[in-house]
Amino acid sequence: MSFRLSQRDKDVIAFINQFRAVDRDSLVDLFFKQLKSPINACNSVMIRLYRLGVIERTQQYSPTVYLPVDAKIKKSSQKILHFLSILDVYKQMCTYSVPKHVVVEDKPTGRKGGIEPDLFCIFKGSPFWIEIQRNQYSEQKMQAKINLYEEFFFSDEWKALHWQREDRSALFPSVILITPVRYGVSSDHIRIIQVGSIHELMEKYKSSSKQPKEARSRPSASSGGIKINLT
């Protein structure tokens, strides 16, 4: 069956496997927008791949959402919305720079009970773990989440993660909380950024880059004194 797949077919399948749930319009934006009739082209390709049995789909959403063949989530599961929110964050990043080393639902500790960020990536040269909060939680629960990141920081295990560069000192990723509310969480050891979206993140750094050098060098309470490369 593989001989019937083009390179774009393989890329689309790999992307769906990576993000677990991908809506039709996102596929159009990422793989077909350069064509004369991108929506029609995407629909044609996805119907063919579905009939070949190399992807699954659920039509409980409009437009259709595509899933991996071995998806462990039900086609009616709310988990699909969770994966779509991760995809939306990725797409926002792509409007500025395509992230590298992308891992959906990263489990860097390799054991249960450790940190489990929704997304890891290297974005504009800096590593990030991203937590997407679609629901509102108590500040105690959010601080407990940050405490897990601190525990991992002190373990030093992160220094051996596969994406670390051998030609420079290991970096502990900044933690981005994408949330419509602001939590009173803090850490003296890791960088925490709270924003409503990636667009807000980029606007924040766009504004900070215009400040005088001496003003930028002072850590701020809202950003945790972050020094990351987003320019």
Side-chain angles (χ1 to χ4, degrees):
M1 186 180 298
S2 62
F3 70 89
R4 302 177 65 181
L5 301 178
S6 67
Q7 185 57 53
R8 184 179 61 193
D9 292 340
K10 294 175 182 177
D11 291 342
V12 167
I13 295 167
F15 190 81
I16 293 171
N17 288 339
Q18 181 181 27
F19 281 87
R20 323 286 173 79
V22 182
D23 63 285
R24 192 278 313 276
D25 286 354
S26 292
L27 292 171
V28 169
D29 290 341
L30 294 168
F31 295 97
F32 298 90
K33 66 180 179 181
Q34 76 281 6
L35 301 180
K36 185 176 180 179
S37 301
I39 293 177
N40 290 339
C42 181
N43 286 340
S44 177
V45 168
M46 300 315 294
I47 290 172
R48 176 171 54 83
L49 294 180
Y50 174 70
R51 288 174 176 170
L52 285 173
V54 293
I55 58 168
E56 270 294 344
R57 70 183 183 187
T58 172
Q59 294 179 305
Q60 297 197 27
Y61 300 87
S62 181
T64 300
V65 171
Y66 295 92
L67 312 167
V69 170
D70 58 350
K72 297 179 180 179
I73 53 176
K74 294 181 179 179
K75 293 182 179 181
S76 59
S77 173
Q78 289 294 304
K79 188 78 169 172
I80 289 175
L81 295 176
H82 167 70
F83 288 123
L84 291 177
S85 67
I86 296 174
L87 174 61
D88 183 61
V89 168
Y90 172 82
K91 287 170 57 184
Q92 287 183 46
M93 287 182 163
C94 286
T95 64
Y96 302 98
S97 177
V98 177
K100 299 178 180 178
H101 298 285
V102 176
V103 181
V104 176
E105 291 197 330
D106 193 17
K107 296 178 175 58
T109 67
R111 54 183 177 270
K112 194 170 183 178
I115 62 172
E116 295 185 1
D118 297 313
L119 188 68
F120 168 80
C121 67
I122 294 178
F123 178 54
K124 295 183 77 67
S126 296
F128 294 97
W129 277 314
I130 302 174
E131 298 271 0
I132 303 169
Q133 305 301 321
R134 294 176 53 238
N135 301 310
Q136 186 169 346
Y137 298 98
S138 67
E139 291 201 348
Q140 292 83 354
K141 186 170 183 177
M142 293 302 296
Q143 186 62 54
K145 189 185 289 283
I146 298 302
N147 293 344
L148 286 177
Y149 280 95
E150 287 193 332
E151 288 179 18
F152 191 46
F153 174 81
F154 285 115
S155 75
D156 279 349
E157 294 174 24
W158 54 274
K159 294 180 179 180
L161 292 173
H162 70 92
W163 50 265
Q164 295 282 8
R165 288 175 49 172
E166 296 181 358
D167 60 344
R168 69 182 185 187
S169 300
L171 295 173
F172 192 86
S174 300
V175 177
I176 299 178
L177 302 180
I178 296 187
T179 167
V181 299
R182 297 295 184 267
Y183 295 96
V185 296
S186 62
S187 172
D188 293 329
H189 308 287
I190 62 176
R191 299 182 179 107
I192 305 168
I193 311 167
Q194 297 191 61
V195 290
S197 67
I198 295 299
H199 297 314
E200 182 184 333
L201 174 73
M202 298 307 294
E203 282 298 315
K204 177 181 292 189
Y205 278 86
K206 184 178 179 181
S207 299
S208 66
S209 67
K210 295 179 181 178
Q211 296 177 10
K213 185 176 181 181
E214 59 272 17
R216 294 201 306 269
S217 65
R218 292 196 299 269
S220 67
S222 61
S223 66
I226 51 180
K227 296 178 182 178
I228 53 181
N229 176 31
L230 286 177
T231 56

